[in-house]
Protein backbone atom coordinates (compact mmCIF):
# COMPACT_ATOMS: atom_id res chain seq x y z
CA UNK A 1 0.00 0.00 0.00
CA UNK A 2 2.83 2.36 0.85
CA UNK A 3 4.51 1.70 -2.40
CA UNK A 4 1.31 2.46 -4.26
CA UNK A 5 0.95 5.84 -2.51
CA UNK A 6 4.60 6.65 -3.14
CA UNK A 7 4.27 5.81 -6.81
CA UNK A 8 1.03 7.77 -7.11
CA UNK A 9 2.41 10.79 -5.32
CA UNK A 10 5.93 11.37 -6.29
CA UNK A 11 6.96 14.05 -3.80
CA UNK A 12 10.11 14.77 -5.78
CA UNK A 13 8.10 16.37 -8.57
CA UNK A 14 6.64 19.86 -8.28
CA UNK A 15 3.03 19.10 -9.22
CA UNK A 16 2.10 17.00 -6.13
CA UNK A 17 3.76 19.57 -3.88
CA UNK A 18 1.74 22.37 -5.49
CA UNK A 19 -1.42 20.33 -5.34
CA UNK A 20 -1.00 19.53 -1.66
CA UNK A 21 -0.08 23.12 -0.78
CA UNK A 22 -3.11 24.33 -2.79
CA UNK A 23 -5.42 21.95 -0.88
CA UNK A 24 -3.96 22.96 2.48
CA UNK A 25 -4.15 26.69 1.64
CA UNK A 26 -7.72 26.37 0.37
CA UNK A 27 -8.75 24.46 3.51
CA UNK A 28 -7.12 27.07 5.72
CA UNK A 29 -8.82 29.95 3.88
CA UNK A 30 -12.21 28.21 4.03
CA UNK A 31 -11.81 27.45 7.73
CA UNK A 32 -10.80 31.03 8.63
CA UNK A 33 -13.53 32.62 6.50
CA UNK A 34 -16.15 30.25 7.94
CA UNK A 35 -15.12 31.15 11.48
CA UNK A 36 -15.17 34.88 10.71
CA UNK A 37 -18.54 34.69 9.00
CA UNK A 38 -19.99 32.56 11.82
CA UNK A 39 -18.81 35.02 14.45
CA UNK A 40 -20.30 37.97 12.52
CA UNK A 41 -23.54 36.08 11.95
CA UNK A 42 -23.72 35.16 15.62
CA UNK A 43 -23.21 38.78 16.71
CA UNK A 44 -25.80 39.93 14.20
CA UNK A 45 -28.33 37.39 15.46
CA UNK A 46 -27.74 38.42 19.07
CA UNK A 47 -28.17 42.09 18.15
CA UNK A 48 -31.39 41.37 16.23
CA UNK A 49 -32.76 39.32 19.13
CA UNK A 50 -31.88 42.12 21.55
CA UNK A 51 -33.57 44.75 19.34
CA UNK A 52 -36.65 42.56 18.99
CA UNK A 53 -36.84 42.08 22.76
CA UNK A 54 -36.56 45.83 23.32
CA UNK A 55 -39.33 46.50 20.79
CA UNK A 56 -41.58 43.90 22.39
CA UNK A 57 -40.94 45.32 25.86
CA UNK A 58 -41.74 48.84 24.63
CA UNK A 59 -44.93 47.64 22.95
CA UNK A 60 -45.98 45.78 26.09
CA UNK A 61 -45.26 48.86 28.20
CA UNK A 62 -47.28 51.05 25.84
CA UNK A 63 -50.18 48.58 25.81
CA UNK A 64 -50.15 48.25 29.59
CA UNK A 65 -50.10 52.01 30.15
CA UNK A 66 -52.82 52.52 27.57
CA UNK A 67 -55.00 49.85 29.12
CA UNK A 68 -54.40 51.19 32.62
CA UNK A 69 -55.31 54.74 31.56
CA UNK A 70 -58.42 53.46 29.84
CA UNK A 71 -59.42 51.50 32.95
CA UNK A 72 -58.75 54.56 35.14
CA UNK A 73 -60.94 56.76 32.97
CA UNK A 74 -63.69 54.16 32.97
CA UNK A 75 -63.47 53.78 36.75
CA UNK A 76 -63.42 57.55 37.12
CA UNK A 77 -66.84 57.59 35.46
CA UNK A 78 -68.03 55.50 38.39
CA UNK A 79 -66.42 57.98 40.75
CA UNK A 80 -68.45 60.76 39.14
CA UNK A 81 -71.66 58.75 39.39
CA UNK A 82 -73.88 60.25 42.11
CA UNK A 83 -74.90 56.88 43.60
CA UNK A 84 -71.33 55.61 43.85
CA UNK A 85 -70.20 59.00 45.16
CA UNK A 86 -72.79 58.81 47.94
CA UNK A 87 -71.68 55.27 48.69
CA UNK A 88 -68.12 56.54 49.14
CA UNK A 89 -68.69 59.68 51.20
CA UNK A 90 -72.07 59.76 52.94
CA UNK A 91 -72.26 58.57 56.53
CA UNK A 92 -75.50 56.70 55.99
CA UNK A 93 -76.40 55.68 52.48
CA UNK A 94 -80.02 54.94 51.61
CA UNK A 95 -80.39 51.18 51.11
CA UNK A 96 -81.94 51.64 47.65
CA UNK A 97 -79.11 53.97 46.58
CA UNK A 98 -76.55 51.57 48.03
CA UNK A 99 -78.04 48.68 46.04
CA UNK A 100 -77.96 50.76 42.86
CA UNK A 101 -74.33 51.79 43.48
CA UNK A 102 -73.24 48.22 44.26
CA UNK A 103 -74.99 47.03 41.08
CA UNK A 104 -73.06 49.62 39.05
CA UNK A 105 -69.81 48.53 40.68
CA UNK A 106 -70.63 44.87 40.03
CA UNK A 107 -71.21 45.54 36.32
CA UNK A 108 -67.82 47.12 35.74
CA UNK A 109 -65.67 43.95 35.50
CA UNK A 110 -68.06 42.49 32.94
CA UNK A 111 -67.94 45.65 30.84
CA UNK A 112 -64.18 46.10 30.91
CA UNK A 113 -62.26 42.89 30.21
CA UNK A 114 -59.01 44.09 31.78
CA UNK A 115 -60.59 44.92 35.14
CA UNK A 116 -61.16 41.97 37.42
CA UNK A 117 -62.47 43.74 40.51
CA UNK A 118 -63.51 47.16 41.76
CA UNK A 119 -63.43 48.22 45.40
CA UNK A 120 -65.15 51.27 46.87
CA UNK A 121 -64.22 52.39 50.36
CA UNK A 122 -66.30 54.67 52.55
CA UNK A 123 -63.92 56.28 55.02
CA UNK A 124 -66.75 57.65 57.19
CA UNK A 125 -68.43 54.30 57.85
CA UNK A 126 -65.19 52.28 57.35
CA UNK A 127 -67.03 50.01 54.92
CA UNK A 128 -65.50 48.40 51.88
CA UNK A 129 -67.69 47.45 48.91
CA UNK A 130 -66.48 45.14 46.15
CA UNK A 131 -67.64 44.31 42.65
CA UNK A 132 -68.32 40.75 43.79
CA UNK A 133 -71.25 42.12 45.81
CA UNK A 134 -69.56 41.76 49.17
CA UNK A 135 -69.46 44.60 51.63
CA UNK A 136 -67.98 44.52 55.06
CA UNK A 137 -66.34 46.62 57.68
CA UNK A 138 -62.73 47.60 57.05
CA UNK A 139 -61.49 45.29 59.82
CA UNK A 140 -63.70 42.33 58.82
CA UNK A 141 -63.09 42.36 55.08
CA UNK A 142 -61.68 39.01 53.93
CA UNK A 143 -59.42 40.30 51.13
CA UNK A 144 -56.42 41.60 53.05
CA UNK A 145 -54.52 42.37 49.84
CA UNK A 146 -56.81 45.31 49.08
CA UNK A 147 -56.60 46.49 52.69
CA UNK A 148 -52.81 46.79 52.41
CA UNK A 149 -53.20 48.77 49.18
CA UNK A 150 -55.71 51.11 50.82
CA UNK A 151 -53.38 51.71 53.75
CA UNK A 152 -50.47 52.59 51.45
CA UNK A 153 -52.46 54.55 48.85
CA UNK A 154 -51.33 58.12 48.30
CA UNK A 155 -54.33 59.00 46.17
CA UNK A 156 -58.07 58.46 46.29
CA UNK A 157 -58.01 56.37 43.15
CA UNK A 158 -55.67 53.40 42.95
CA UNK A 159 -55.09 51.24 39.93
CA UNK A 160 -52.70 48.90 41.67
CA UNK A 161 -52.37 45.36 40.44
CA UNK A 162 -53.07 42.72 43.05
Amino acid sequence: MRDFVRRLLNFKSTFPKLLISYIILTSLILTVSTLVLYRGYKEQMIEQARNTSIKLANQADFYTKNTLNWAKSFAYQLYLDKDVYRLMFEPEADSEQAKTAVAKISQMPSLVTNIQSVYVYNNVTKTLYSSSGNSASYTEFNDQGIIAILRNAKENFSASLI
Side-chain angles (χ1 to χ4, degrees), residues 53-72:
S53 296
I54 289 171
K55 286 179 184 177
L56 286 174
N58 288 339
Q59 287 176 348
D61 182 54
F62 173 77
Y63 178 74
T64 303
K65 286 180 181 177
N66 188 29
T67 303
L68 186 60
N69 286 336
W70 184 68
K72 276 186 176 184

Side-chain angles (χ1 to χ4, degrees), residues 31-130:
T31 304
V32 170
S33 62
T34 302
L35 290 175
V36 168
L37 289 175
Y38 174 73
R39 181 175 286 166
Y41 177 75
K42 184 177 173 184
E43 289 174 4
Q44 184 181 15
M45 291 302 293
I46 290 171
E47 185 66 26
Q48 286 178 350
R50 183 179 158 276
N51 290 340
T52 302
S53 296
I54 289 171
K55 286 179 184 177
L56 286 174
N58 288 339
Q59 287 176 348
D61 182 54
F62 173 77
Y63 178 74
T64 303
K65 286 180 181 177
N66 188 29
T67 303
L68 186 60
N69 286 336
W70 184 68
K72 276 186 176 184
S73 68
F74 196 76
Y76 192 68
Q77 290 176 0
L78 276 180
Y79 183 78
L80 295 176
D81 185 86
K82 65 180 180 177
D83 295 326
V84 176
Y85 186 84
R86 286 183 183 139
L87 192 65
M88 280 192 274
F89 296 109
E90 288 190 5
E92 292 182 21
D94 180 18
S95 65
E96 212 41 55
Q97 288 175 345
K99 285 180 185 177
T100 305
V102 170
K104 288 179 182 179
I105 293 169
S106 298
Q107 289 175 353
M108 191 169 181
S110 63
L111 296 174
V112 183
T113 57
N114 297 323
I115 295 178
Q116 293 180 353
S117 59
V118 176
Y119 295 91
V120 173
Y121 178 65
N122 186 326
N123 195 29
V124 178
T125 61
K126 305 289 187 218
T127 306
L128 195 61
Y129 301 93
S130 76

